[in-house]
Amino acid sequence: MLIAMTRPVSASLGDCELTHLARSPIDVERAREQHAGYQRALESLGATIVTVPGAAELPDAVFIEDTALVLEEVAIIARPGAASRRAETGAVARALAGYRPVHQLTAPATLDGGDVLRVGRTLFVGLSARSNPEGVAQLRRLTDPLGYAVVPVEVRGCLHLKSAVSQIGEGELLINPAWVSPPAFGAAELVCVDPGEPGGANALRLGQRIIYPTHYPRTADRLAARGVTVLTVDSSELAKAEGGVTCCSLLFSADAGLAA
Ligand code: CIR
């Protein structure tokens, strides 16, 4: 069973962290409707939604991806780079403990899950304003014995590694080469975002299909032309909080980890 762990949109979303965008009013009700549409999209692609209790006082709690990395063997609780987000991890750790042995990154490490791109047994980790070399080192110590390679990658001009690059198929990545250097990804086949849609590199892959924002239509056309099955969702309010489609869920199989 494929689980999509999500967390509700907080009433305080308008007080979210912002790095690259100017603050603009967020319609929380609309954000909630969009989040519901996102969850329906996940369900339509076969995922079962598991909801972590909401946290009204944590504006960015909906962006659950940043709080953890879930592998087949373990769940690793991140230590978000933004201090305002560190209290998000406790409830997520409790929820994940039902599925995996849980490990926790500790200070001085910082790591946001949005900076971790898994491709097979390789974990590419963005060195961003949120994730530091100690975060990379701790992640490596935890995952090396499990057979993962941890590869740090410089990112520039965007929030997270997965703002710049995400997986859209087997060995296939969607990338904005202005924000991350393509050679870092070795043999992967790269599809570039439309130059007019720099924020369009964040896609959420479930098997052969991707969930993708409606607000990058030209990149969506590129993907469709390559034979990628694209399910679009309106996520414009969450985008005002610098949220993409990967960041609103943790996807993992329930049939691994503790259940194995
Ligand atoms: C933040 O700045 O932390 C949130 N406002 C947005 C986080 C988006 N996370 C993600 O793309 N993985």
Side-chain angles (χ1 to χ4, degrees):
M1 179 171 55
L2 177 66
I3 305 276
M5 191 170 273
T6 64
R7 204 162 187 193
V9 173
S10 300
S12 57
L13 177 64
D15 299 325
C16 63
E17 290 286 333
L18 286 175
T19 309
H20 295 280
L21 290 184
R23 198 168 294 281
S24 63
I26 297 180
D27 181 334
V28 171
E29 268 326 298
R30 188 141 182 261
R32 286 185 171 139
E33 284 160 22
Q34 291 177 351
H35 190 248
Y38 170 81
Q39 294 187 127
R40 282 194 298 276
L42 283 164
E43 286 175 325
S44 78
L45 297 183
T48 298
I49 304 292
V50 171
T51 304
V52 175
E57 73 291 1
L58 297 172
D60 284 306
V62 64
F63 304 123
I64 190 171
E65 168 181 61
D66 293 321
T67 61
L69 172 68
V70 187
L71 302 171
E72 283 86 35
E73 302 86 354
V74 290
I76 296 169
I77 307 304
R79 185 165 181 272
S84 71
R85 300 200 56 191
R86 297 207 179 121
E88 293 174 29
T89 58
V92 178
R94 285 190 290 281
L96 287 173
Y99 299 94
R100 299 287 192 276
V102 170
H103 298 275
Q104 187 108 34
L105 299 192
T106 55
T110 63
L111 185 93
D112 280 12
D115 273 319
V116 183
L117 172 67
R118 179 184 175 179
V119 181
R121 303 297 285 185
T122 301
L123 305 173
F124 294 100
V125 185
L127 289 171
S128 68
R130 299 289 176 86
S131 301
N132 67 13
E134 179 59 20
V136 173
Q138 288 191 19
L139 185 64
R140 185 177 283 127
R141 278 200 290 279
L142 289 167
T143 58
D144 179 76
L146 304 172
Y148 292 89
V150 171
V151 179
V153 182
E154 297 284 344
V155 294
R156 52 185 179 272
C158 61
L159 184 58
H160 289 128
L161 177 63
K162 274 188 282 193
S163 320
V165 58
S166 62
Q167 192 169 17
I168 51 168
E170 208 54 52
E172 231 182 335
L173 302 177
L174 177 63
I175 189 167
N176 175 349
W179 287 349
V180 68
S181 178
F185 303 100
E189 201 175 328
L190 303 179
V191 179
C192 290
V193 296
D194 182 279
E197 298 176 345
N202 185 260
L204 178 60
R205 177 185 179 223
L206 286 87
Q208 300 310 308
R209 293 165 294 190
I210 63 163
I211 294 177
Y212 192 70
T214 48
H215 47 271
Y216 301 118
R218 291 198 294 271
T219 304
D221 285 348
R222 280 189 184 202
L223 294 168
R226 291 181 62 92
V228 179
T229 306
V230 181
L231 180 55
T232 54
V233 293
D234 183 359
S235 57
S236 54
E237 291 304 307
L238 295 163
K240 292 179 188 170
E242 293 189 26
V245 285
T246 63
C247 64
C248 293
S249 57
L250 289 166
L251 286 183
F252 57 90
S253 169
D255 311 319
L258 295 182

